[in-house]
Amino acid sequence: MALTDLPAFDTSAMDGWAVAGPGPWRLPHGEEHAGILAGCPDVLPLRDGEAVRIATGARVPPGATAVLRSEHGTVRPQGELYASRHLTQGQDIRPRGQECRRGDELLPAGTLVTPAVLGLVSAAGYDRLRVVPRPRVEVLVLGDELLREGLPHDGRIRDALGPLLGPWLQALGAEPVGVRRLGDDAAALRAALEASDADVVLTTGGTAGGPVDHVHPTLHGLGAELLVDGVAVRPGHPMLLARLAPGRYLVGLPGNPLAAVAGLLTLAEPLLRTLSGRPAAERWGARLTEAAPGHATDTRLVPVAYEGGGRVRPLRFHGPAMLRGIASADALAVVPPGGVDHGGRAELLGLPWQTGPWQTGLAGGAR
């Protein structure tokens, strides 16, 4: 709610003269007078036929009927002000309460606090704002086979998720607090989970049932509550969600990069949105320019590029370990079991940085 009228008083929208009544006008204080500046506490009223210099943002004196812009006025030697253009009542005056009145709702609860929101609430009288903080997320990258630099060699591969997850989490409204690489070490994983004070711990890899997949047994040993253990989606089905303690969670992402992205969008994003009090994103739909084959029983997520006219094109390189498709994508198409034919419509999962004009061609949601 606004704590004050905005503006709090009648304000000049331009540099010029505050005038009262029809011109010409007298300048009682002489042209050498500084006039009314922004922040002046005392403003004398004007009588009909009088004018006074005024600066942008300054309080308009009582009795003023308009503000004459500097470029539209001429002061003659006798101290009279003439206008070169016709003035209308209230011209270039921002009236008190033009933007809001005290007690008006400025923004609904749950609005994202942007720089513009901070400016608005400051102008409306707030010194402090009650907010829901960004969820703090710590990333634990698991896998002895991962390299931090250089080219793949001797059966080892580059870590693609460590560099990807921090910026992606930030785009989802979270506050990344660090990325740690633990390898395939059950003791190190348990110690990291016990030491972490993050709201959410995000792990990569180790969620299946292989000999070095330590996430499930570690969660069991910690007494964590397993909320989601696998999702019927390809790629990404071995993802999981667990409650470590009241208000603290673990999201286990698969180790394959595109599968991890699927887990980010379908499991981590809803959790982070709920923790930060943000509403669900608007749902979008589009027609496919090519058929998208489906899995027999699971939903598929396929990177797509916007083609215009409410249509999207499925992209190649959409295997679980591939990032080439998602790097060029505008969204992920949700392909149900059985697939979507050419020209068929599919729901889209938007990427957090792809909220631009292309979505206007998809308004109306998935039908």
Side-chain angles (χ1 to χ4, degrees), residues 155-179:
R156 303 184 68 191
I157 60 174
R158 281 295 298 271
D159 169 27
L161 292 177
L164 176 152
L165 287 173
W168 202 310
L169 288 166
Q170 196 165 25
L172 290 176
E175 180 185 348
V177 295
V179 176

Side-chain angles (χ1 to χ4, degrees), residues 111-234:
T111 297
L112 180 66
V113 180
T114 64
V117 168
L118 288 176
L120 172 63
V121 298
S122 297
Y126 283 88
D127 298 322
R128 290 190 176 96
L129 192 63
R130 187 186 297 270
V131 299
V132 178
R134 290 173 176 260
R136 300 171 67 253
V137 183
E138 183 175 14
V139 177
L140 304 180
V141 179
L142 312 181
D144 289 337
E145 76 279 11
L146 301 177
L147 297 168
R148 297 185 61 175
E149 59 185 14
L151 298 175
H153 61 84
D154 300 326
R156 303 184 68 191
I157 60 174
R158 281 295 298 271
D159 169 27
L161 292 177
L164 176 152
L165 287 173
W168 202 310
L169 288 166
Q170 196 165 25
L172 290 176
E175 180 185 348
V177 295
V179 176
R180 298 176 60 188
R181 293 166 173 83
L182 302 182
D184 293 314
D185 187 328
L189 175 60
R190 178 165 182 149
L193 294 180
E194 289 176 330
S196 178
D197 63 353
D199 302 304
V200 178
V201 176
L202 208 68
T203 61
T204 69
T207 56
V212 292
D213 292 334
H214 301 303
V215 174
H216 279 93
T218 301
L219 291 175
H220 179 74
L222 291 172
E225 180 185 0
L226 200 57
L227 303 176
V228 176
D229 190 10
V231 177
V233 64
R234 305 289 174 137

